[in-house]
Amino acid sequence: MSRARQPPLVTGISPKEGAAWTKVTIRGENLGTGPADLIGLSICGHNCLLTAEWMSASKIVCRVGPAKDDKGEIIVTTKSGGLGTSTVSFKLIRPERIGILDQSAVWVDEMNYYDMRTNRNKGISPLSLRPSNPLGIEIDKGKIPQKDMELTFPGMSGDFTSENFSATWYLIENHAGSSFEQLKIAASNLKKQATKKNEGSLAYVKGGLSTFFEAQDALSAIHQRLESDGTEKVEGSMTQRLENILNRASDTADTLFQEVLGRKDKADSTRNALNVLQRFKFLFNLPLNIERNIQKGDYDVVINDYEKAKSLFGNTEVPVFKKVYAEVETRIGALRSLLLEKLLQTPSTLHDQKRYIRYLSDLHAPGDPAWQCIYAQHKWILQLMQNCRDEFISGQRVGAGVLDLEGDTRPSALGRLSHTASLKRGGSLRTPRPSTWRFETPQQVQFVEKLSDVVIGQLPNFWKLWISYVNGSLFSETGEKSGQVEKSKKNARQRQNDFKKMIEELTNRLVKLIRGALLPTTLPQGELSLYGGWENKTELTGAWLTQIIHTVRGCHDALSALEIPNDLLQVIQDLLLELRVHCLMVTLLHTTEDVKRLAEKEDWVVDNEGITSLPSQFEQCMVQMLQSLKEPLEIKPGEINVLQLDQVQDQAAELSVSIMKVFINCLDQLSTKTDEDMDTSHNISVDLTSPDRFSGIQEGFSPTSEQRLLIILSNCQYLERHTFLNLADHFEKHGFTGTEKITRVSVDAVRELDRKLFDAYIERRADPIAGSLEPGIYAGYFDWRDCQTPTGVRNYLKEALVNIITVHAEVFTVSKDLVPRVLSKIVESVADEMCRLMQCVSSFSKNGALQARLELCALRDAVATYLNTDSNSSFKLALDALPQLHSGADKKLLEELLNKFKSSMQLQLTCFQPSSIQPVKR
C-alpha cells in the first residue's frame, strides 16, 4: 500500500529529441500498475495519452505531439500515484518546411507557410514562401530602431532572401539576446538543411519508400489476376472481353462526338496558334519595338531586347522564327550604321562618345569603333586649329574681339592680363588706352588665345577617350573583366605608337601655328604658306608678347595636368623659351625707342638738387621695363633661365648698353639745340613741387644755351652718382648678368659727355672774361712804365670780378655742386691770362709795379676759395714778374688799398666765401 502511493518518476527517454509524431520510449519508476492505471501523459506540455502504450511499471511507449514548447518535461499521471515528476527533458525539433519547388513523397501541409506579398494581386514568387525561422532557434527581437540599422548598414537588408542580405543585420534584429551556444545550434541546423538539399533525388526516394512499396504491391496484384485469367486472346477470356468492350465504347464515342471533336481539333489548332503568338509575342513585336525605341533614343532597351532575342532564336530552325529574326537583324544593322554616324559626328561630348562606343560594342559592330572615333576626333581638332588660323588671316575677325569658332562672344579659357599690368611698361611714356582697348587687341594675340581655347577645350577629352580605351572602361563602367575589355586593351597596346604620333601632330601643329604668327623666321620656307601669312598684321609690343607667353604657359599647364608625357609637350616648352627670348629682345628694343622720345619731355625745371625730371623719367622707364619682363623671365617648372644662355646674355647686355647710350645721346642733343629749336619745339612747364631757382622763370620761359649746358651737366652728375647705380641694382634683382659692364660703359659715356659739355661751357664763359682783361688794363693808353701813384683797384678788374660773380650766380642757380668746379676753371683761365699779360710787360715803374701787385693781390684774395694748383702757380709767376717792394711805405700803401678794395666790394665778394649760402626760398 505504501509503494502504490508513491508518485511516478521519469528517469529517461529515448530518443531525447525529435520532430512531432516521433515514437519515444519512456523509462522510470511507479509508471502505473496497468494500462487502466495510466490516466495522463504529457511531453513538452502536449497531451500524448492517446498514443501511449503501457508496457510495464518502468516503461511506456508513445508518440510526441506537435507541442508549443520546443523543450519540456515528461509528466506521467496515474490513479495510484497521482501527478509524477521527471528528471529528464525532451527537445522538440521543428520539422523543416518544404518549399513549393522541393521534391516530396508525402502530402505537404502548406498552411504553415506565410505570404510576404504586400500586393495580393501580384503573382506569388517561390522566394516569397519561406520559413519564418530559418535558424531553428528561438527568435529574440532586438530593440534597435530600423533607421539606426539602415545607417549602420547602408545599402544592405536584413531580409535573407534579398540580394543585399546582411547576416549581421539579421542576427542583431532577430537574435540579439541569443547565447553563443544557441548560435552554434543554429549553425548546426543550417548545415543539416544544406546536407538534405544536397542529397537530392536519393533523399526523395528514401522519404517515399513506403509509397513505392504500396504502388509495387498494387501492380503485382493486378499482374497476378491477369495471369490467372490467361494472357492469350482466347475467346471468352477476360482480356478479350475487356478489349471488345473498350473497342465498342470507342466506336460509339467516335460516332457521337466526331463533329464535336472535329470542332474541338480546329479550336485546339487555333488556340495553339494563338498560344504560340502569345508565347512568342516578344519576337513578333520586336521589329516594331526596335523602330520605336530607336526613334525615342532608348538604345539600351533595343540592345537588351536584341541580346534576349539572339539567345532565344539565334539558332532556331523554325521558318517563321527565322524570318522574323532576319528582320530584327536588318533593323539592328541599320542601328549600327546610325550609331557609328553619331559617334563620328563632331562636335560631340566625351559622355556621348563613350555611350555610342559601348552601344556599338554591345551590338558587336564590325571593326573597332573606339579607334575610329579617336581618329575622327584627331582630324577634327587639327581642322579646328587650321580653321582658326585661316579665319584670322582672311580678316573675318577684324575688330571682333575674342570670338569662338561659332561666333559667340565669350571669355577666353585663359585669364587675360589686366590693362594696368599688360601695358604698364609704357607708363607715362604712352597715352592711356581708350575704354575699348579690348576690342583693339592685336589679331596675333586674339589668335593665340583662341587657338589655346581650342586645344584646351578639345585635347583633354581626346586624351581621356584614349585612356578609357586603354584601360577598358569604355566597355565596362564597373571595371569588370570581359572578353570585350581584354580585346580593347590588346588593340590599345598595338596602337600606342599611332596615338603618340597623333598627340605629336597636334602639339606640333599648335607650335607651328603660333610660330607662324609670332616667329615666322623659325619656320622652314616651305611651311610659311601653310602657317604664316601674318606679315601685314601689327607688330607686337613686349606687353602683348607677355600676355601670349601667359596664354601658352596656361595651355602647357592644362595639358600637363592630364598627365600627358613630358616628351610629347617638349615642343611647347621649346616654343616658350623662344617666345621669352623674343619678348626680352622686343621689350629692350621698344624701350630704346621710348628713351629716344624722352628728350621731348624735358621741361628744364630744376629741383633743389639741381636736376630736372629727365633722369627720374629715364629710371622709371627702365624700372617699368624690368617689371614688364618679370613674367617672361620667371622660371616655371620645367623651364630654363633664359638669362643663363650665353647668346641671350650678350644680346641683352648689348641692348641695355645701347639704351644707356641712347639716353646719353638725348642729353647731348638737348645741349646742342638752338634757341630757335627750343622756342618752336618746346613748351616749358613749371615744377610747382619745388621752389624756382630761375629768377626769371615764368610761363613760356626757355633757358639759354649756357643754362641748358649747366642743367645737363647737373643731370650727368646725378646719372653717374645715383641713377646708374640704382639701375644696376634693379638689373641684378631681375637676374640680368653683366651689370658691371653695363654700368661701366654707361658711366664712361656720361663722363665723356660731361667733359665735352663742361669744356663747352667754360669756353663760352671763361674766354670772354679772360679776353676782356687786356683791353681793360690798357684802356686810356695806360703804361706800366709811366703811371701815377695807385689810388685803388681799377675798374677792369672789378668788371672781371662782376663777370665771375655772374657766372657764379648762373651756376649756383642750377646746382651749387657745380660752383667749385666751374669757378675753379674760370679762375684758372683768368689767372693764366693775368700771368701772360704780366710776363709780356718789358718793364715796370715803381708806381706801375705797385699798381700791378695791388690788382693781382686783389684778384687772388677775392677768388682765394676757388684757387687750384694751376691758378696758384699762375698768380705766383705773375707776381714774380713784378719788381719787389722794398719801401715800407709802399707795402703799407698796398695793404691800405687792398683793405679799401675788400671793404668797398664786400657785398659782391660774399659769394666767394667758403661757407655756402642757401638760396632764398620764394
Side-chain angles (χ1 to χ4, degrees):
M1 293 292 292
S2 62
R3 287 176 60 85
R5 284 195 292 271
Q6 291 182 0
L9 175 64
V10 176
T11 59
I13 185 170
S14 177
K16 294 183 178 180
E17 61 180 16
W21 310 116
T22 299
K23 188 175 183 180
V24 296
T25 301
I26 301 171
R27 299 184 181 278
E29 301 174 359
N30 305 320
L31 299 183
T33 58
D37 191 39
L38 182 65
I39 61 174
L41 174 60
S42 66
I43 301 175
C44 296
H46 184 268
N47 189 359
C48 301
L49 185 61
L50 293 177
T51 61
E53 183 180 355
W54 185 87
M55 307 299 291
S56 67
S58 60
K59 179 179 178 182
I60 298 175
V61 177
C62 72
R63 289 185 179 274
V64 179
K68 293 182 180 181
D69 299 330
D70 292 337
K71 191 173 183 180
E73 296 180 337
I74 302 94
I75 305 299
V76 177
T77 305
T78 60
K79 292 181 182 178
S80 59
L83 185 63
T85 58
S86 173
T87 61
V88 295
S89 61
F90 181 81
K91 180 179 180 182
L92 183 65
I93 298 177
R94 301 294 180 183
E96 179 185 0
R97 290 181 173 84
I98 300 173
I100 61 174
L101 299 181
D102 296 337
Q103 295 178 343
S104 176
V106 298
W107 177 258
V108 177
D109 184 7
E110 296 181 350
M111 295 305 295
N112 290 332
Y113 290 87
Y114 60 94
D115 192 351
M116 292 292 288
R117 289 176 295 162
T118 55
N119 186 350
R120 296 293 169 175
N121 295 324
K122 292 184 180 179
I124 187 168
S125 168
L127 293 177
S128 65
L129 296 177
R130 55 187 183 270
S132 59
N133 185 8
L135 298 183
I137 61 175
E138 183 180 359
I139 292 178
D140 183 9
K141 291 286 186 179
K143 297 182 180 180
I144 300 177
Q146 183 74 11
K147 291 183 178 180
D148 293 347
M149 297 294 290
E150 292 175 355
L151 292 175
T152 307
F153 304 96
M156 307 302 289
S157 171
D159 183 1
F160 57 84
T161 63
S162 172
E163 293 181 358
N164 301 324
F165 171 67
S166 171
T168 308
W169 184 339
Y170 179 82
L171 291 175
I172 294 174
E173 186 177 35
N174 296 287
H175 300 284
S178 300
S179 65
F180 184 68
E181 294 298 326
Q182 289 178 313
L183 293 178
K184 288 173 68 176
I185 295 172
S188 176
N189 293 340
L190 288 176
K191 289 180 181 179
K192 290 179 180 178
Q193 294 176 22
T195 302
K196 289 182 179 179
K197 287 183 179 179
N198 292 334
E199 289 178 356
S201 300
L202 181 61
Y204 166 71
V205 173
K206 290 180 179 179
L209 195 59
S210 60
T211 305
F212 283 114
F213 288 158
E214 290 176 1
Q216 178 66 26
D217 292 343
L219 290 174
S220 297
I222 294 173
H223 184 259
Q224 290 175 1
R225 178 70 182 274
L226 288 174
E227 281 188 341
S228 64
D229 192 54
T231 57
E232 297 182 0
K233 289 186 177 182
V234 180
E235 192 66 32
S237 67
M238 182 185 69
T239 305
Q240 184 63 39
R241 290 198 307 272
L242 181 59
E243 181 181 1
N244 293 337
I245 293 171
L246 291 176
N247 287 334
R248 288 196 305 272
S250 176
D251 294 340
T252 304
D254 289 343
T255 304
L256 292 175
F257 299 102
Q258 184 175 5
E259 183 179 355
V260 176
L261 292 176
R263 290 198 301 271
K264 177 181 177 299
D265 291 341
K266 185 177 181 180
D268 289 343
S269 176
T270 303
R271 189 179 299 108
N272 290 336
L274 291 175
N275 286 338
V276 169
L277 289 175
Q278 181 66 24
R279 181 179 177 184
F280 301 102
K281 66 178 180 180
F282 163 73
L283 177 63
F284 295 119
N285 293 336
L286 188 56
L288 182 59
N289 289 337
I290 289 175
E291 198 69 36
R292 289 175 179 174
N293 289 326
I294 289 176
Q295 293 177 359
K296 291 190 294 184
D298 293 339
Y299 303 120
D300 290 308
V301 177
V302 175
I303 293 171
N304 291 335
D305 290 347
Y306 173 65
E307 289 293 336
K308 181 179 178 182
K310 186 176 181 180
S311 63
L312 294 175
F313 307 101
N315 299 320
T316 184
E317 296 297 331
V318 180
V320 65
F321 291 168
K322 292 175 68 175
K323 182 178 180 181
V324 177
Y325 184 73
E327 181 66 21
V328 171
E329 285 288 0
T330 302
R331 303 292 175 90
I332 293 299
L335 176 60
R336 291 192 189 104
S337 301
L338 175 65
L339 291 176
L340 184 60
E341 180 182 352
K342 287 181 174 291
L343 175 63
L344 303 181
Q345 190 177 19
T346 54
S348 61
T349 64
L350 179 62
H351 173 73
D352 289 341
Q353 291 169 358
K354 288 184 175 181
R355 194 159 55 96
Y356 293 141
I357 291 172
R358 196 172 295 117
Y359 290 155
L360 288 169
S361 173
D362 293 341
L363 291 175
H364 307 288
D368 191 347
W371 181 251
Q372 290 177 296
C373 178
I374 291 173
Y375 182 79
Q377 286 294 308
H378 168 245
K379 292 298 182 185
W380 182 65
I381 296 173
L382 287 177
Q383 191 60 45
L384 278 182
M385 296 165 68
Q386 196 65 38
N387 290 345
C388 183
R389 175 257 179 194
D390 294 342
E391 287 184 16
F392 277 96
I393 293 298
S394 63
Q396 296 179 9
R397 290 177 172 269
V398 176
V402 181
L403 305 179
D404 64 4
L405 289 176
E406 289 75 29
D408 299 329
T409 303
R410 62 182 178 84
S412 171
L414 299 173
R416 294 178 175 77
L417 298 177
S418 67
H419 170 56
T420 303
S422 62
L423 299 175
K424 193 172 183 180
R425 183 184 62 79
S428 61
L429 307 180
R430 299 184 181 274
T431 55
R433 290 185 178 271
S435 59
T436 57
W437 75 276
R438 285 186 180 275
F439 298 99
E440 299 173 3
T441 305
Q443 291 213 335
Q444 295 97 313
V445 180
Q446 296 183 35
F447 166 68
V448 173
E449 289 185 349
K450 183 57 202 170
L451 193 62
S452 298
D453 288 347
V454 170
V455 173
I456 294 176
Q458 302 300 329
L459 200 55
N461 286 341
F462 181 65
W463 178 261
K464 292 175 183 176
L465 181 63
W466 165 255
I467 295 300
S468 300
Y469 182 53
V470 170
N471 59 30
S473 61
L474 274 178
F475 308 99
S476 175
E477 290 286 358
T478 59
E480 60 185 10
K481 291 186 177 181
S482 66
Q484 189 66 31
V485 173
E486 296 303 317
K487 180 182 177 182
S488 167
K489 292 182 178 180
K490 181 179 179 181
N491 292 339
R493 286 192 295 270
Q494 295 174 350
R495 289 174 168 145
Q496 279 184 345
N497 289 334
D498 294 336
F499 184 77
K500 183 178 180 181
K501 291 179 181 178
M502 288 182 178
I503 295 294
E504 288 177 348
E505 186 177 1
L506 288 172
T507 53
N508 285 329
R509 180 69 60 87
L510 169 68
V511 169
K512 288 180 179 179
L513 287 171
I514 296 178
R515 285 183 184 276
L518 304 175
L519 305 169
T521 57
T522 62
L523 287 176
Q525 191 65 30
E527 295 181 348
L528 285 176
S529 59
L530 188 60
Y531 306 114
W534 299 86
E535 294 78 7
N536 299 326
K537 305 300 180 182
T538 307
E539 183 181 356
L540 296 182
T541 63
W544 291 120
L545 287 172
T546 300
Q547 181 168 337
I548 288 175
I549 291 171
H550 178 80
T551 302
V552 177
R553 274 176 170 166
C555 182
H556 180 271
D557 293 343
L559 298 182
S560 298
L562 298 174
E563 298 182 357
I564 296 178
N566 289 331
D567 59 328
L568 298 180
L569 302 179
Q570 186 59 41
V571 289
I572 302 180
Q573 284 285 18
D574 297 341
L575 171 66
L576 274 172
L577 176 61
E578 294 187 40
L579 285 176
R580 292 163 64 204
V581 173
H582 182 61
C583 178
L584 172 61
M585 300 308 167
V586 168
T587 301
L588 290 173
L589 288 174
H590 285 185
T591 302
T592 304
E593 299 299 321
D594 293 341
V595 170
K596 285 182 180 178
R597 291 191 289 270
L598 281 179
E600 303 170 4
K601 297 182 175 292
E602 178 58 278
D603 55 11
W604 303 107
V605 176
V606 297
D607 58 12
N608 287 332
E609 299 294 330
I611 60 172
T612 63
S613 61
L614 203 58
S616 63
Q617 289 184 20
F618 171 66
E619 182 177 351
Q620 181 185 12
C621 177
M622 297 297 292
V623 170
Q624 288 177 347
M625 176 200 73
L626 293 173
Q627 288 177 347
S628 70
L629 289 173
K630 183 177 181 181
E631 182 171 356
L633 296 180
E634 185 180 1
I635 306 172
K636 298 287 186 180
E639 297 180 352
I640 64 174
N641 187 353
V642 296
L643 293 175
Q644 290 181 350
L645 302 174
D646 294 339
Q647 185 177 1
V648 176
Q649 284 182 10
D650 297 340
Q651 291 180 354
E654 290 177 6
L655 289 174
S656 300
V657 169
S658 175
I659 293 173
M660 303 295 185
K661 290 183 177 180
V662 164
F663 181 65
I664 294 172
N665 188 45
C666 288
L667 296 179
D668 191 8
Q669 292 176 358
L670 286 173
S671 68
T672 58
K673 277 190 175 182
T674 63
D675 293 340
E676 290 77 8
D677 294 336
M678 296 298 296
D679 293 338
T680 57
S681 65
H682 185 70
N683 184 15
I684 194 71
S685 62
V686 181
D687 185 359
L688 300 179
T689 60
S690 62
D692 303 334
R693 289 193 173 181
F694 292 123
S695 59
I697 285 185
Q698 300 293 336
E699 184 175 358
F701 166 79
S702 180
T704 63
S705 58
E706 290 79 9
Q707 289 172 334
R708 290 202 299 274
L709 287 173
L710 288 173
I711 292 172
I712 295 173
L713 279 171
S714 179
N715 285 342
C716 286
Q717 287 189 349
Y718 186 83
L719 286 173
E720 180 181 351
R721 298 173 184 173
H722 300 92
T723 304
F724 288 155
L725 298 179
N726 293 341
L727 289 179
D729 292 339
H730 285 294
F731 274 118
E732 291 181 356
K733 187 185 300 181
H734 286 81
F736 275 73
T737 56
T739 54
E740 294 180 358
K741 175 184 175 182
I742 298 173
T743 305
R744 184 180 68 255
V745 174
S746 303
V747 169
D748 291 344
V750 80
R751 284 177 178 174
E752 178 63 25
L753 176 63
D754 178 87
R755 182 194 59 77
K756 173 184 173 183
L757 298 181
F758 182 76
D759 291 346
Y761 181 78
I762 294 301
E763 181 179 352
R764 292 188 185 187
R765 289 307 186 195
D767 288 355
I769 297 175
S772 66
L773 292 177
E774 186 173 2
I777 290 176
Y778 297 106
Y781 303 100
F782 179 81
D783 188 356
W784 294 109
R785 294 170 294 182
D786 183 15
C787 61
Q788 298 177 359
T789 304
T791 59
V793 176
R794 289 185 291 168
N795 290 334
Y796 82 91
L797 188 61
K798 294 180 180 178
E799 289 178 2
L801 286 173
V802 170
N803 289 333
I804 295 175
I805 292 172
T806 303
V807 174
H808 181 284
E810 184 179 58
V811 177
F812 189 83
T813 306
V814 175
S815 172
K816 63 181 181 181
D817 294 334
L818 287 174
V819 171
R821 181 184 177 192
V822 173
L823 286 200
S824 296
K825 200 69 177 176
I826 296 290
V827 170
E828 180 183 336
S829 177
V830 172
D832 182 65
E833 180 65 15
M834 289 294 290
C835 177
R836 184 186 69 81
L837 291 174
M838 293 299 109
Q839 290 177 343
C840 290
V841 178
S842 58
S843 63
F844 291 90
S845 65
K846 177 184 177 183
N847 291 335
L850 184 60
Q851 183 71 42
R853 187 174 295 278
L854 170 63
E855 290 174 351
L856 283 174
C857 290
L859 177 61
R860 185 191 61 186
D861 293 346
V863 297
T865 305
Y866 302 106
L867 293 176
N868 55 24
T869 305
D870 292 339
S871 54
N872 273 324
S873 177
S874 297
F875 276 116
K876 186 176 183 302
L877 289 175
L879 290 172
D880 290 344
L882 301 179
Q884 296 296 322
L885 295 179
H886 302 288
S887 170
D890 291 341
K891 293 181 179 179
K892 182 177 182 181
L893 177 61
L894 177 62
E895 185 176 353
E896 289 176 354
L897 291 176
L898 279 175
N899 290 334
K900 178 183 177 183
F901 166 75
K902 293 178 181 178
S903 176
S904 63
M905 293 195 67
Q906 180 181 2
L907 180 61
Q908 289 83 350
L909 299 179
T910 304
C911 66
F912 296 140
Q913 298 300 318
S915 59
S916 300
I917 300 175
Q918 296 297 329
V920 179
K921 302 289 184 180
R922 293 185 180 87

